[in-house]
Amino acid sequence: MDLDFTEDEIRRYSRHILLREVGGTGQAKLKAARVLVVGAGGLGSPLVLYLAAAGVGTIGIVDDDVVELSNLQRQIAHTTASIGTPKTASAAAAAYAINPGVTIEPHASRLTAANAMELISRYDIVCDGTDNFATRFLVADAAVLARRTLVSGAVLRFDGQLSVFRPHLGGPCYRCLYPEPPPPGLVPSCSEAGVLGAVTGVIGTLQATEVLKEIMDIGDTLAGRLLVWDALATRFRTVKLPRDPDCALCGPQATIRDLSAHAEAAASDGSPGQACGV
Ligand SMILES: [Zn+2]
C-alpha cells in the first residue's frame, strides 16, 4: 500500500486521517479503489460528489441521459447551466471541481446485457442509482456473476431503502430479497409517483458512506441487513436479510449463469434497460 501523500493530500484529507479507523492506511485504500456508479441522477449525484471528495481514486459513471430541467430538484451534481449536456460530463465536471486529484471515467452509454459484465468487472464496487427494474436486475445479476460488491439504494416518494449485497463474501444477493422484477406497471417510478428531492440525497449519501466502509473494511457491513427509511415519519428501521438457499442467482442450484435473459427481455419489449438515474 502506497502511503506516500503530498502535502496537499495530507491537508485535503486531514479530517479523514485523524480518524483512528481511517488514518493514512484507510486513505490509501480509498485512493487505490475503483468504484462504478450506475446512474448519475438523484442517488448518483451525492454518490459521485462524496466519493470524489473522499479521495476515491477512480470513479466510473454510467448514464446515457442528458440533464433536464426536471432533474434539478434533486440531482445536485448538475446545474441549470448544464441542461442539455450529458449527465456523465456534468457529473464529472462537478466532481473535478471538488477534487482534481481523482480520476472520473465517464461511460455515456446505456448499461446493457452486452456491456455490463465487461464494465462492472473493471471496478471493485458497483453502486446502483437507477430507477427502473430492468437495469436494477441487470446490475444485480452482473455484480454477482462478476463477484463484485453491490451497494444498492432506492427511493420513491418519501421512502428510501439501502443495502449491501456481496454473496461472494457471505450474505444474500439482491435476488434473495426480490427474486423477480415486479410486473410492469405495478410499482410506479419516481417520474410517475414523485420523490422528495432531499430523500434521494440522504440515501445517496448513505450509499457513499457504505462504499467507503466497504473499501476500508471498517465498522459493521450492511450486508445481510436492509435499511428502510420513512422520511414523513422520520423513522429508520433495519431488518435482517437472510440468504435464500433456493436463490436462482447465488444459491447452490443457481439457474442464472449469464445475462442472456436480459438481452432477450430487452429485445422482446424494446426497452434496452436504460441507465436513467432516479
Ligand atoms: Zn441470492
Side-chain angles (χ1 to χ4, degrees):
M1 186 67 61
D2 182 8
L3 289 177
D4 212 9
F5 294 111
T6 65
E7 282 294 320
D8 270 2
E9 285 175 322
I10 290 169
R11 203 169 304 136
R12 179 182 285 273
Y13 304 122
S14 61
R15 303 302 189 276
H16 271 173
I17 294 169
L18 278 170
L19 295 167
R20 185 175 50 84
E21 293 83 351
V22 179
T25 306
Q27 195 62 50
K29 285 181 182 173
L30 297 179
K31 191 176 183 177
R34 299 176 53 84
V35 177
L36 182 67
V37 177
V38 183
L43 296 170
S45 287
L47 255 168
V48 167
L49 298 183
Y50 269 115
L51 296 180
V56 170
T58 307
I59 303 164
I61 309 172
V62 192
D63 202 306
D64 73 332
D65 269 345
V66 296
V67 179
E68 296 178 23
L69 182 58
S70 62
N71 300 149
L72 301 182
Q73 156 261 21
R74 65 202 178 284
Q75 302 185 11
I76 58 167
H78 314 302
T79 64
T80 306
S82 61
I83 289 172
T85 64
K87 285 189 182 177
T88 46
S90 172
Y96 280 133
I98 292 172
N99 191 351
V102 300
T103 300
I104 307 292
E105 297 180 343
H107 306 284
S109 52
R110 286 173 180 168
L111 194 77
T112 65
N115 65 18
M117 286 304 290
E118 193 267 331
L119 204 50
I120 285 174
S121 298
R122 279 154 56 187
Y123 295 87
D124 308 316
I125 295 178
V126 53
C127 307
D128 184 355
T130 65
D131 83 338
N132 68 87
F133 285 103
T135 311
R136 206 159 264 277
F137 276 82
L138 175 62
V139 173
D141 289 356
V144 169
L145 294 171
R147 300 172 64 82
R148 294 296 188 267
T149 296
L150 169 64
V151 178
S152 178
V155 290
L156 190 65
R157 294 171 47 81
F158 300 94
D159 299 309
Q161 285 191 1
L162 180 78
S163 194
V164 173
F165 301 103
R166 45 174 215 183
H168 56 290
L169 300 172
C173 78
Y174 185 76
R175 281 190 189 261
C176 291
L177 176 61
Y178 302 112
E180 293 288 338
L186 188 70
V187 179
S189 67
C190 289
S191 61
E192 293 159 346
V195 62
L196 191 73
V199 171
T200 62
V202 170
I203 296 296
T205 303
L206 284 170
Q207 272 183 285
T209 310
E210 294 305 317
V211 169
L212 301 179
K213 284 171 57 189
E214 291 291 327
I215 293 170
M216 295 186 286
D217 194 19
I218 60 172
D220 300 325
T221 180
L222 195 58
R225 294 180 294 155
L226 176 73
L227 179 79
V228 183
W229 178 40
D230 176 344
L232 282 184
T234 318
R235 189 170 293 130
F236 284 92
R237 287 186 301 134
T238 307
V239 295
K240 275 197 177 155
L241 280 189
R243 194 164 188 172
D244 176 5
D246 298 321
C247 178
L249 181 58
C250 75
Q253 311 295 330
T255 52
I256 300 169
R257 302 275 183 199
D258 55 39
L259 302 177
S260 54
H262 294 275
E264 287 161 21
S268 65
D269 70 11
S271 70
Q274 280 181 295
C276 59
V278 171

